[in-house]
Each structure stands twice: as C-alpha cells, then as structure tokens.
Amino acid sequence: MAGTRARRTVELRALLIAPELGLEGAGVEVQRVANALHPEKILIGAVSIVDVMDTLSQSTYDIVWFATHGGPDGIVLSDDTLPPETLTQLLRQACPGLVVLNTCTSVQTANQLHDEISCAVVATIADVPDRDAYVTGTLLASALARGMSVA
C-alpha cells in the first residue's frame, strides 16, 4: 500500500536472562521480548551465575538481554550478584553486539561493558518503576525485531 511502511523482521540470535526475583512486570516483559525476538535461549526462574557462565561459553549472541534487579554492585541473579567485572569477562567471550540491562541503576555496569568490550549497551541510570521497565523493554524488543537500530 502506498504510504505504508513495510515491517521487516530481522533474525537476531538472542539470549534472554530473567531470574525470578518477584518483579511484578518481569513475566509479561519476558513473554513480550520472547515474542518479538524469538531468543535462541531463555534462562528463566532460578538462574545462577554458573548457568549464565555455561550458556555464554556455549554460543555467541547478537543480543544478551537481562530482565532483573541491578545496582552499582552488578546484576542480580538467583544465587548472587554478578559483578560488572565478571559480567565483562563473560560477555567478552560471547561477543554480543548489544547488551540490554533492563534493571535499575545499571550505568556502572553498562559503562564498563561498553568501554571494555566495545558493544552497544542499553541501561538505566537510576531506579525505574517496574511498569516503566516493562514498557521500555517491550518497545525496544519490538523495534529491534523490526530491524530498527539501537540508536
């Protein structure tokens, strides 16, 4: 149709990591991100640091997406907090083009990832209400699936 933009679906190899931590909108966000990006692998429920290490060592991904709690000390998983230094080491092996840290206050982790492994990082600089994180994550995943750039 004239004037209608064609939607283009892009195949991206994605890893979605969403430990169960009681985040109200996380389940819906995971479903929406999964529907949009069709991740090659989803780590959900009880997700340990070992689970993340093993998964990242087995394959490479275009996108590594975290939907969890976060803070200056790192990304929260089921068994512990994954410090920025450790996450950087793990992601250096996986070579993602994009890391999404849909967590609160993940700017320190994002800066370290960006500077040390030269990938694009989408992150937050402050605490984010759960509903806002869900909406933002859903919209970003949909845009990426349509072939839009991170910018």
Side-chain angles (χ1 to χ4, degrees), residues 29-120:
E29 177 188 349
V30 167
Q31 186 62 50
R32 297 278 178 112
V33 170
N35 289 344
L37 296 178
H38 307 288
E40 182 174 301
K41 180 88 173 175
I42 299 174
L43 299 177
I44 193 168
V47 179
S48 69
I49 292 175
V50 170
D51 295 331
V52 174
M53 279 179 25
D54 290 347
T55 301
L56 289 172
S57 71
Q58 294 170 5
S59 190
T60 59
Y61 298 94
D62 300 308
I63 300 172
V64 176
W65 190 296
F66 289 89
T68 186
H69 287 295
D73 294 336
I75 305 303
V76 179
L77 298 174
S78 299
D79 62 341
D80 206 351
T81 299
L82 187 57
E85 302 78 24
T86 305
L87 182 58
T88 299
Q89 291 173 354
L90 295 174
L91 290 174
R92 186 176 286 123
Q93 307 269 333
C95 302
L98 172 63
V99 176
V100 176
L101 302 174
N102 201 1
T103 70
C104 286
T105 318
S106 53
V107 68
Q108 293 90 344
T109 301
N111 285 337
Q112 184 164 347
L113 291 172
H114 180 267
D115 293 347
E116 293 192 27
I117 63 174
S118 300
C119 66

Side-chain angles (χ1 to χ4, degrees), residues 134-144 146:
Y134 151 70
V135 169
T136 303
T138 298
L139 292 173
L140 177 60
S142 296
L144 292 171
R146 289 192 314 269

